[in-house]
Amino acid sequence: MPSSLIGVLQRHCEVIDSACSDPEPQQITSLAEILGRIPDPRGGSEAAATA
C-alpha cells in the first residue's frame, strides 16, 4: 500500500532537519540589518529621516 502524502512529507522534513545543523548566532542576520539594506520605496533622504 502506498504511503500517504503527509507521511512522505513528514519523513522528508525529518531528513532535512537532521541534515541541517543550527546556525551560529553570529550567522543570523537581524531583521533590522536586512531592512537597512533595502532602499526605501518612498524615496529620498527625507523618508529615512522620518523612520
Side-chain angles (χ1 to χ4, degrees), residues 1 3 6 13 15 18-22 26 32-33 40 42-43 51:
M1 177 170 210
S3 298
I6 293 174
C13 289
V15 169
S18 66
C20 298
S21 61
D22 291 334
Q26 64 269 21
E33 291 172 354
D40 190 335
R42 298 173 290 184

Side-chain angles (χ1 to χ4, degrees), residues 16-41:
I16 291 173
D17 287 344
S18 66
C20 298
S21 61
D22 291 334
E24 296 294 323
Q26 64 269 21
Q27 294 174 317
I28 299 174
T29 303
S30 74
L31 179 59
E33 291 172 354
I34 293 170
L35 293 176
R37 296 177 192 164
I38 300 172
D40 190 335

